[in-house]
Every structure is written in structure tokens, then in C-alpha cells.
Amino acid sequence: MPSAAQSDPAPAKVLGVEALNKSYGGLKAVDDVSFEVFEGEILALVGDNGAGKSTLVKAIAGAQPPDSGRIVVDGIARLLNTPRDASDAGIGCLHQGLGLVDSLNVPENVFLGRELLTKIFNIIPQLDHKRMRKQTIELLSGFGISLPRLNDPVVSLSGGQRQTVAISRLLLQDVRLIIMDEPMAALGVEEGRRVLELVRNMKKRGLSVIVISHNLEHVFQLADRIAVMKNGRLVGLVNAVSTTRDEVVKLITFGRFE
């Protein structure tokens, strides 16, 4: 048997949230929240509507800076005042709206805002569709993603396929941590299964994921740990394999196990 010294090293800490607070007038939406996310970990964030989940992840994603507290990324305290700050720190956020341009095709949406250019006669710039398509295929293949019609406008794709395109755009940005807000909402069973598998593939490649979800079945299928929020506070952080659905429901409802 291998000795303790030969055992696998502990995963690196990708994100540290330290005593985070955010208020709107007299309402404390995030109240002294602290937790960590490790490399290759899927952390589910659950709680009733108004528990503070969305405000918390918006602070991490740079959309709504906290009033106080620290956000540490790869051991460095970061001021995430804008989504660009979060992106530069290796954090990507997939919102429910997805942010796709319906009239553009898959590669054009994947490279939206980061388009690859070529020049005609070394003078006139134009989009390098061939190179964007090639890199899109390589990116999708690397994460086990199959989309049949890359050249069609994304408006013609199914909900699950559109979700995949939005995720692929984040993966192109060389992120370390992806935040996903209800990624399986409004998807059918088969499409939801494919998105779940994509998230698992991201974990296998060492990416960290925070998933906001109301679907506890999906949470227990995916998550390594489950963070429960209530009234702006983090009331529980449990290992998925050592807790039960009933215990998580009690935390969501009462803020305690009993």
C-alpha cells in the first residue's frame, strides 16, 4: 500500500470567498459568506428564491461588487468590479439568458467578441470563418460535444444545443472556474442529460464549476459538495456523498438539519 507521503496531493484551491457582504438599502442580500472551491470540483449552490444565491455569484462574476469581504483567485486577492475583471481572473459565468446572437452561426457565437481575422491581399481585414470553424470543432471535440449544424444560425438549434454553444464560448476564454445559473432549466430529459455530461467532462479536465440549481436530483448527480443559503447566509456546506436529500431540504427550509 502507498504511504501517506505517496498519496495524491490535495487539489489546489481555485476560489476563496472570505466574509462577503452585499446589501441593498436595509436588505442584507449576502451576509458574511465564506467558502472555497477547489480544482476540478463541482459545488452546487442551493436555496429558496431570495436566499442570496444570485447576488453571491454576481459578486464573484464581477456583475455586482460586494460591499466588503475578499475574493481570492488562485491565492491572489482580486477586485472583481466588472465581468471583464472576472474573465481576466479566469472566471466565466453562464447566465440563463445565454447571451447568444440568434442570427449568427455556432463558430461566430463561440468567438463573439474575440473574432479571428484574416486579410485580403494583406490589406483588407475580414472574419476568418475557416479558422474559427476549425478551432470550434477542436474545442467541442475536446469536451465530448457534438453539434451537427455548425453553419446554421443558432436560432435553429434546440435549447440544449444553445446551452452548449454558450458554454463553449466560456471554454474558449481559458477559464478556471465556470458559474452556471440553472443550466438545465427548461430542457427536456435527454438534453438535460447531455448538459450534465458536459459538466462532468469539464470536471474531468480540471475545471471547477459552481452550479445554481433548484433541482436536487441534478444536484446529487453532479455535485461534490452542496452549499445551502438562507436569508443571505451560508447555513450549510455538506459533502454530497455523505448527506441526504432530506437533510438538504431541512437546511433550505429551516437553516438547520432539525
Side-chain angles (χ1 to χ4, degrees):
M1 292 181 62
S3 66
Q6 295 173 313
S7 60
D8 293 335
K13 183 169 69 174
V14 173
L15 175 73
V17 173
E18 302 176 0
L20 222 63
N21 291 279
K22 179 69 178 181
S23 296
Y24 300 101
L27 173 65
K28 200 150 193 180
V30 176
D31 187 359
D32 196 33
V33 171
S34 299
F35 66 94
E36 300 171 330
V37 180
F38 297 93
E39 184 177 25
E41 178 181 35
I42 300 174
L43 178 74
L45 186 60
V46 303
D48 283 334
N49 292 332
K53 306 183 303 297
S54 294
T55 302
L56 174 62
V57 297
K58 285 176 182 177
I60 299 170
Q64 293 181 357
D67 298 328
S68 62
R70 292 205 316 165
I71 297 174
V72 179
V73 183
D74 290 327
I76 301 172
R78 307 292 293 249
L79 294 176
L80 306 181
N81 293 322
T82 67
R84 172 64 68 180
D85 292 337
S87 179
D88 290 344
I91 299 172
C93 188
L94 181 71
H95 301 287
Q96 291 189 48
L98 300 183
L100 301 179
V101 179
D102 286 344
S103 60
L104 300 181
N105 63 25
V106 173
E108 289 167 343
N109 267 285
V110 169
F111 280 87
L112 189 65
R114 292 174 170 78
E115 292 84 357
L116 301 180
L117 300 176
T118 187
K119 290 184 178 180
I120 301 175
F121 305 120
N122 291 323
I123 299 174
I124 305 171
Q126 69 171 15
L127 292 178
D128 193 338
H129 292 284
K130 183 177 180 180
R131 193 152 57 105
M132 288 193 296
R133 177 182 171 85
K134 179 176 182 291
Q135 291 191 22
T136 297
I137 292 173
E138 291 173 351
L139 176 67
L140 296 176
S141 299
F143 284 89
I145 303 169
S146 176
L147 289 177
R149 304 189 309 276
L150 294 184
N151 290 330
D152 289 356
V154 297
V155 69
S156 67
L157 300 180
S158 68
Q161 290 172 328
R162 289 168 60 86
Q163 186 89 250
T164 299
V165 174
I167 294 171
S168 301
R169 188 168 64 197
L170 291 179
L171 297 176
L172 183 70
Q173 300 172 27
D174 194 27
V175 293
R176 298 279 316 282
L177 170 68
I178 294 181
I179 301 168
M180 306 177 76
D181 190 355
E182 297 286 358
M184 273 72 74
L187 296 184
V189 174
E190 180 59 23
E191 290 205 315
R193 184 193 64 78
R194 290 176 181 171
V195 173
L196 288 171
E197 188 59 33
L198 172 56
V199 176
R200 293 189 187 100
N201 284 339
M202 291 193 290
K203 171 184 170 66
K204 290 177 184 176
R205 294 174 69 95
L207 293 176
S208 306
V209 184
I210 297 176
V211 179
I212 299 177
S213 181
H214 286 92
N215 189 320
L216 290 185
E217 180 181 347
H218 289 158
V219 165
F220 276 92
Q221 287 182 48
L222 274 180
D224 298 296
R225 292 188 298 155
I226 303 169
V228 184
M229 291 193 70
K230 184 175 179 61
N231 299 328
R233 296 188 65 85
L234 185 65
V235 295
L237 186 55
V238 295
N239 291 320
V241 296
S242 59
T243 192
T244 66
R245 183 189 180 103
D246 285 346
E247 288 178 337
V248 172
V249 170
K250 287 178 181 177
L251 281 171
I252 292 171
T253 307
F254 305 111
R256 58 186 187 277
F257 285 127
E258 54 188 26

